Amino acid sequence: MSLGYAEKLSFIEDVGQVGMAEFFDPSHVLQCKIEELAKMIQKSKHLVVFTGAGISTSCGIPDFRGPKGIWTLQREGKDLPKASLPFHRAMPSMTHMALVELERAGILKFVISQNVDGLHLRSGIPREKLSELHGDSFMEMCPSCGAEYLRDFEVETIGLKETSRRCSVQKCGAKLKDSVLDWEDALPPKEIDPAEKHCKMADLVLCLGTSLQITPACNLPLKCLRGGGKIVIVNLQKTPKDKKANVVIHGLVDKVVAGVMESLNMKIPPYVRIDLFQIILTQALSGDQRFINWTLRVASVHGLTSQLPFIESIEVSFSDDQKYKDAVLDKQPFLMKRRTARNETFNIFLKVNYSDGCDSVSTQLSLPFEFKVSTEERGEIIDKEAVLQSLREKAVEESSCGQSGVVERRAVSEPRSEAIVYATVTSLRTFLCQQSLHANGELKWKLEGSGTSRKRSRTGKRKSKAQEEETKA
C-alpha cells in the first residue's frame, strides 16, 4: 500500500502477525495446482475474487506484513521500503488485467478488495462489480447525494474527513469527504453489503495476495461454504483460513494467474492509461479596446486549484512570424498572461512535458488564436467514449504513448473564455506470459511490458509545421 496511507493511519499496537515466512510450492506441484484452479474457474457459475496487498507488490507498492512489508520493517526498527514510482502513477499488474478479462468474459461476477490503491477501478473493473472495503486513496465521495469522484491525485486525508473540494452535482455542492477508513471506522454498508451477498452466492471464492487477518473482511470468503462453495487461497504466507480452503497455492500471484489464463486459453489485455487536462484561454478587450489581454491556463479537470501530478512543465511558443517571447511554465498553477493587438491571429504551440512515472515524455498541441466577440455560451458535442476508445486502440496498435484527442470543448461569452479538455495516453503496458517446464523441472514464466523510452528533451524545439498539423485536435 501507499507509504503515505500507512503514515496517516492512527497508531495501534496490534496490527496482526507480521514478517511471516514465505513458502513456494515446488514447480511441478505449482503447475498441478494451477491446472486444478483453472478447471475450477472453468466450471464456476459465480466466481468471486477477494484481493489483498499481494496483488499490487509487482506494481511497485509495498505490502504490510511480508518480510519487507511496511509494518514488518517498522516492528524491526528498519528503514521503510521505498516505492519504485509515485503512488499516483502505479499501474495495474498482470493479475489486475487478467481479472478484467475474466469479468468481460462473464466468468468473474464480483471483486472484493481490501486495497486502497484504486488499481481495480483503473484497470477497468466496473464500479458496480467492485467493493473497495477499506476505501480508495483516489476517491472522494459526497455524503449528501452519494456522488463519487475518482481523482488522478491522492486525496490528502483519510478517515472519512472533509476535503478541500465540493460536490459538483447541480443543487448539491456539499463538502466532499475522503473514502479511506481508519482503524476505528466501520465498513460502509455500500461496500460490505454487496460483498456479503456475492460471497453467499459464490460457488468459488478466489483469495489473491491476502494474509486474511483483518476482521471482519477476512471472514467474507467463508460465507460461500454454507451454500457448498469452495475457497482457493493464493498467497506466499500461510493464513488463518488455510484449513477452510479447498486449495492453497504458495506462489507469486502474477505467476499463478498467468498460468491459469494460459490454461483457459485466454489473453491478458493491455493496460492503457489515459489522463485528462484542460486548456483554458480567456480573452478581454483592453480599456481603449485596441488590445486583447489574454490568459492561458493549463489546469486539472478536477478544478482550477487541483494539482496536475502527471505534468512536469509546459513549453509555450508561437507561430514563426510572431515576435512574442516563448515561455516555460514549470510551476503549478500553469498560467501565462499576454497582451496582443486586437486583430492579430496566430497559433499557440504547447509542449506538455510529463512527469516521472509516465511512459510518454511529452505531447505537442496547437491552438489557433483569434479574438471574436460572442454573445452566447456554446458547447461542442463530442463522443467522449469514442475518442477514448480510439486512443486506446491506436496506442496498442503502435505500441507507443503520447496520442491525444479532444473530449470536450466549451465556451462562455463573459469573460470570453474557451476550455478544451484533452485526453492523452501517458502509459501503456502489454502483457505476454508464457509457461512451460524446463528440463530441470523449473517453471518458465515470462512477463513482458511495453512502454516508451523515458529519455527526456528540454530543448524546447518544436515540430515541423507538417507534424504540428498532425497533432492538432
Side-chain angles (χ1 to χ4, degrees):
M1 296 297 168
S2 160
L3 296 177
Y5 161 64
E7 292 169 352
K8 293 171 188 172
L9 285 169
S10 302
F11 176 79
I12 62 169
E13 195 69 40
D14 182 14
V15 296
Q17 191 173 357
V18 300
M20 297 177 291
E22 292 183 342
F23 298 89
F24 292 85
D25 289 332
S27 295
H28 66 285
V29 174
L30 181 63
Q31 185 64 24
C32 289
K33 289 182 177 180
I34 287 173
E35 292 173 0
E36 183 180 1
L37 174 56
K39 290 177 181 177
M40 295 172 74
I41 291 175
Q42 201 167 31
K43 293 178 181 178
S44 174
K45 301 298 182 184
H46 200 98
L47 170 65
V48 172
V49 171
F50 183 85
T51 66
I55 75 160
S56 295
T57 52
S58 63
C59 307
I61 301 174
D63 63 17
F64 285 120
R65 296 180 177 82
K68 296 182 180 180
I70 294 172
W71 289 333
T72 302
L73 296 178
Q74 280 182 338
R75 188 76 60 88
E76 296 172 353
K78 297 180 180 178
D79 291 337
L80 294 182
K82 294 183 179 179
S84 59
L85 76 170
F87 187 41
H88 64 86
R89 293 309 304 178
M91 284 179 283
S93 66
M94 173 180 281
T95 296
H96 287 98
M97 298 312 298
L99 296 182
V100 170
E101 185 65 14
L102 290 170
E103 188 279 324
R104 288 174 181 170
I107 298 171
L108 175 59
K109 305 302 183 185
F110 202 76
V111 176
I112 305 166
S113 179
Q114 302 166 97
N115 299 340
V116 299
D117 54 33
L119 291 179
H120 281 304
L121 270 181
R122 289 202 188 283
S123 70
I125 293 293
R127 181 67 178 99
E128 66 272 14
K129 294 186 178 181
L130 171 67
S131 279
E132 294 184 302
L133 296 178
H134 299 150
D136 186 329
S137 292
F138 300 91
M139 182 81 77
E140 289 179 286
M141 59 182 182
C142 178
S144 179
C145 71
E148 294 181 333
Y149 298 86
L150 184 63
R151 307 303 194 186
D152 51 25
F153 54 85
E154 187 176 0
V155 178
E156 59 270 23
T157 62
I158 72 164
L160 311 179
K161 297 182 180 69
E162 287 185 353
T163 67
S164 59
R165 289 161 291 277
R166 290 183 176 272
C167 181
S168 59
V169 173
Q170 196 171 14
K171 296 183 179 180
C172 183
K175 286 188 175 181
L176 299 178
K177 291 187 176 183
D178 70 74
S179 64
V180 178
L181 306 186
D182 206 340
W183 286 111
E184 67 274 10
D185 295 316
L187 296 183
K190 182 179 178 180
E191 308 298 335
I192 188 66
D193 289 350
E196 287 186 348
K197 170 189 168 184
H198 281 279
C199 282
K200 290 176 180 178
M201 295 170 61
D203 54 14
L204 176 61
V205 177
L206 175 58
C207 303
L208 300 175
T210 171
S211 62
L212 293 168
Q213 291 193 57
I214 297 297
T215 58
C218 66
N219 293 318
L220 285 171
L222 304 183
K223 294 185 180 297
C224 78
L225 297 176
R226 182 171 295 182
K230 297 178 179 179
I231 297 174
V232 175
I233 298 174
V234 182
N235 200 53
L236 290 178
Q237 297 93 17
K238 295 179 179 179
T239 83
K241 311 300 183 186
D242 285 357
K243 292 180 180 179
K244 299 286 187 179
N246 297 79
V247 181
V248 175
I249 304 176
H250 292 302
L252 295 170
V253 175
D254 280 350
K255 179 179 283 191
V256 173
V257 170
V260 167
M261 295 298 283
E262 188 175 60
S263 295
L264 294 173
N265 197 27
M266 297 178 71
K267 291 184 178 180
I268 299 176
Y271 171 68
V272 180
R273 173 148 181 172
I274 297 179
D275 285 290
L276 304 177
F277 61 90
Q278 60 178 328
I279 297 176
I280 304 171
L281 188 62
T282 304
Q283 307 171 38
L285 281 170
S286 61
D288 57 11
Q289 298 195 349
R290 293 172 54 198
F291 299 97
I292 305 299
N293 297 322
W294 55 272
T295 302
L296 177 73
R297 181 193 294 267
V298 180
S300 169
V301 295
H302 305 300
L304 298 183
T305 60
S306 297
Q307 294 288 296
L308 278 167
F310 60 94
I311 295 182
E312 182 177 290
S313 64
I314 314 287
E315 298 176 31
V316 186
S317 55
F318 302 89
S319 305
D320 292 336
D321 57 348
Q322 299 297 319
K323 297 179 181 179
Y324 305 124
K325 186 178 180 180
D326 295 352
V328 177
L329 312 178
D330 55 7
K331 292 183 180 179
Q332 299 197 38
F334 299 120
L335 185 69
M336 185 182 76
K337 295 183 177 182
R338 287 288 189 272
R339 166 179 278 203
T340 58
R342 178 169 179 172
N343 296 323
E344 282 188 284
T345 61
F346 50 89
N347 285 329
I348 304 173
F349 302 112
L350 302 179
K351 184 181 179 185
V352 182
N353 298 309
Y354 298 119
S355 60
D356 290 340
C358 298
D359 290 335
S360 178
V361 174
S362 64
T363 293
Q364 301 222 18
L365 305 171
S366 176
L367 300 175
F369 183 95
E370 180 179 8
F371 181 78
K372 290 182 180 179
V373 177
S374 176
T375 59
E376 61 179 15
E377 297 187 8
R378 58 184 175 82
E380 182 179 336
I381 298 176
I382 298 174
D383 189 339
K384 180 178 178 179
E385 289 305 316
V387 174
L388 296 178
Q389 185 59 29
S390 176
L391 290 175
R392 293 187 191 99
E393 291 173 355
K394 191 173 182 180
V396 173
E397 181 182 342
E398 298 175 351
S399 296
S400 65
C401 303
Q403 300 85 355
S404 63
V406 175
V407 294
E408 185 180 348
R409 192 189 298 267
R410 60 187 184 275
V412 296
S413 58
E414 189 60 39
R416 188 184 189 285
S417 177
E418 182 175 33
I420 306 173
V421 178
Y422 286 90
T424 180
V425 177
T426 53
S427 294
L428 169 68
R429 288 291 181 272
T430 57
F431 303 100
L432 174 64
C433 48
Q434 299 172 336
Q435 285 199 148
S436 61
L437 286 176
H438 283 180
N440 61 4
E442 288 297 315
L443 186 67
K444 175 187 176 184
W445 178 79
K446 185 178 183 182
L447 164 63
E448 292 183 356
S450 71
T452 59
S453 169
R454 289 299 301 146
K455 277 191 176 180
R456 261 182 205 285
S457 169
R458 289 288 180 264
T459 61
K461 292 182 179 179
R462 299 202 307 271
K463 292 183 178 181
S464 68
K465 289 291 178 68
Q467 290 173 313
E468 287 166 355
E469 290 298 322
E470 292 179 2
T471 61
K472 285 183 182 180

